[in-house]
Amino acid sequence: MKTPYKNIYNVLKLNRFIVLAVVVCALLSSTLSLWMAFNTNQKALNSAFAINTDGSIIPLKLVTQKENFKVEALAHLDLFHNYFYNIDASNYERNLEKALWLGNSSVDNLYRQKKADGVYNRLLQYSLVQKVLSIDSQIEEQNGTYVFRTITVFEINRGSIIDTYELVSTGNLIPVDRNFPNNPHGLLITNYFENTLKKLNDEN
């Protein structure tokens, strides 16, 4: 008894169905894999891990990049203005050297101008003490550029006389590579300019 042959059209339909099913499954599998990879990557970008003292892993939620930048920027500006203006005869060279690491040529040019004007010679000659009392900085983002305005209040002790001044300075901030301990925040002050300097009335 002969085996009956199957209808060739039915065989082709079955083969086509199998091929389409395999292709659809492959597409679905690829799409799911891509979505899982993207989702895992997003979670990794928003999370960090720290090692506890007992060796356990602690998940930490990262702050947004802008919030982190603002904290770093304010700390950088505070550090710079303390180094640049909190000086006396014993520490001015060391402090100014540290301040120059935090800014570009605009800071260096201001330092050279002050030196040429005899600011640091008078510091030595009269044993002056210049002490920073407060630093208040404001930072704004303008067209992708970070602009700051800082109000620094400092006093100059001339022995029997103490004068208080308010300095308003402006400039920009750009990210650079961190350099410990010279530039711990990885930022650089550019276009630095001393806008106004006024003597405050003695309230004492």
Side-chain angles (χ1 to χ4, degrees):
M1 184 175 181
K2 294 183 179 180
T3 303
Y5 291 103
K6 293 183 179 180
N7 189 306
I8 186 65
Y9 295 105
N10 291 336
V11 173
L12 290 176
K13 286 181 181 180
L14 180 61
N15 288 342
R16 185 171 61 177
F17 174 78
I18 293 174
V19 170
L20 287 174
V22 170
V23 170
V24 171
C25 290
L27 287 174
L28 290 175
S29 178
S30 299
T31 303
L32 182 61
S33 298
L34 288 173
W35 179 82
M36 291 181 64
F38 177 78
N39 192 41
T40 302
N41 183 58
Q42 288 298 109
K43 289 182 179 179
L45 288 176
N46 293 325
S47 304
F49 298 92
I51 305 299
N52 201 1
T53 52
D54 60 0
S56 61
I57 298 177
I58 307 173
L60 300 175
K61 193 75 174 177
L62 294 180
V63 295
T64 63
Q65 202 170 29
K66 286 187 177 181
E67 289 175 339
N68 187 52
F69 179 87
K70 187 175 181 180
V71 171
E72 296 265 17
L74 291 174
H76 186 84
L77 292 171
D78 189 77
L79 193 63
F80 168 76
H81 286 85
N82 265 303
Y83 281 149
F84 203 74
Y85 298 104
N86 201 70
I87 54 177
D88 57 41
S90 64
N91 70 7
Y92 83 97
E93 288 183 331
R94 182 174 64 255
N95 279 11
L96 290 173
E97 182 181 356
K98 292 178 179 178
L100 292 177
W101 276 96
L102 307 178
N104 72 345
S105 58
S106 61
V107 174
D108 184 63
N109 290 338
L110 178 60
Y111 159 71
R112 293 178 185 276
Q113 183 61 49
K114 287 178 177 288
K115 188 175 182 180
D117 292 341
V119 172
Y120 306 120
N121 283 336
R122 289 193 293 273
L123 195 74
L124 292 171
Q125 184 177 357
Y126 300 107
S127 298
L128 303 179
V129 177
Q130 184 169 296
K131 182 181 179 182
V132 172
L133 301 178
S134 66
I135 299 170
D136 182 24
S137 298
Q138 301 294 327
I139 304 169
E140 292 183 3
E141 184 180 359
Q142 300 177 0
N143 299 323
T145 302
Y146 291 95
V147 180
F148 71 85
R149 180 178 184 271
T150 300
I151 299 176
T152 305
V153 178
F154 62 90
E155 64 180 21
I156 298 180
N157 189 327
R158 296 180 171 86
S160 58
I161 301 175
I162 298 178
D163 294 324
T164 305
Y165 297 88
E166 180 186 88
L167 171 70
V168 177
S169 57
T170 57
N172 298 339
L173 284 171
I174 60 173
V176 295
D177 291 337
R178 294 179 191 269
N179 186 334
F180 293 96
N182 299 317
N183 192 335
H185 301 290
L187 295 169
L188 196 69
I189 294 172
T190 64
N191 301 320
Y192 186 69
F193 186 73
E194 292 182 343
N195 292 266
T196 60
L197 176 65
K198 67 178 181 179
K199 184 177 180 181
L200 301 178
N201 294 330
D202 188 4
E203 299 178 355
N204 295 329

